[in-house]
């Protein structure tokens, strides 16, 4: 007599475990994508996109959350379909340093004295760049001398 694999609810456990091993990474990736979309909506909802051309001619879409000193940067509409696919075979190949450089160029174009601090992938190919600006001195900052 042949031994029969133990089952529960009519499903053989080895095949269920194998199916879970194969689908778990896909489910986690899907959940991460949902979290990234939620994060972008929470931090950039209502902010008008800025269309910026970098010094090298590449076009980017930038959402500038001035109140939180952060930018969300992605390739411009015409470039997004080709940049990631051609350069990285669809796996997202634009290095974070490119987004840092674009952020600094953009911030200079707004005449703010800011530097990029951290670059974080939100949802490929969109990165968040946090920045820090020098405080602008105003008339109230002038010392009037002894009273």
């Amino acid at each position: 007599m042949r031994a029969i694999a133990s089952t529960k609810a009519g499903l053989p456990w080895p095949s269920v475990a194998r199916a879970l091993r194969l689908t778990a990474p896909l489910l986690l990736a899907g959940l991460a994508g949902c979290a990234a979309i939620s994060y972008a909506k929470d931090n950039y909802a209502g902010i008008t996109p800025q269309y910026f051309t970098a010094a090298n001619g590449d076009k980017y879409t930038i959402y500038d959350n001035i109140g939180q000193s952060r930018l969300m940067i992605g390739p411009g509409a015409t470039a997004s379909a080709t940049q990631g696919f051609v350069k990285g075979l669809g796996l997202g190949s634009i290095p974070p340093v490119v987004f840092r450089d674009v952020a600094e160029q953009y911030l200079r174009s707004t005449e703010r004295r800011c530097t990029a601090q951290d670059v974080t992938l939100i949802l490929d190919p969109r990165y968040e760049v946090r920045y820090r600006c020098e405080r602008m001195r105003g008339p109230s900052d002038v010392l009037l001398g002894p009273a």
Side-chain angles (χ1 to χ4, degrees), residues 21-122:
R21 275 196 310 267
L22 296 173
T23 58
L26 295 173
L27 291 172
L28 289 174
L31 290 174
C34 291
I37 291 169
S38 177
Y39 178 84
K41 283 173 40 179
D42 290 346
N43 289 288
Y44 297 97
I47 295 175
T48 304
Q50 305 296 313
Y51 302 100
F52 180 74
T53 302
N56 65 2
D58 287 344
K59 297 181 184 311
Y60 294 88
T61 302
I62 299 176
Y63 295 84
D64 189 355
N65 186 332
I66 296 171
Q68 294 183 14
S69 299
R70 60 178 81 188
L71 305 169
M72 182 171 64
I73 304 175
T78 57
S80 63
T82 58
Q83 274 185 336
F85 184 77
V86 172
K87 291 183 180 177
L89 302 175
L91 300 177
S93 67
I94 304 171
V97 68
V98 170
F99 291 95
R100 186 203 64 215
D101 292 347
V102 169
E104 296 221 342
Q105 290 175 34
Y106 168 78
L107 291 165
R108 276 194 303 274
S109 78
T110 65
E111 298 183 5
R112 289 183 277 168
R113 293 182 181 163
C114 306
T115 55
Q117 301 291 307
D118 301 316
V119 181
T120 307
L121 178 66
I122 295 177

Side-chain angles (χ1 to χ4, degrees), residues 2-19:
R2 242 169 83 183
I4 298 176
S6 97
T7 63
K8 285 195 176 182
L11 297 174
W13 280 108
S15 64
V16 170
R18 189 167 133 225

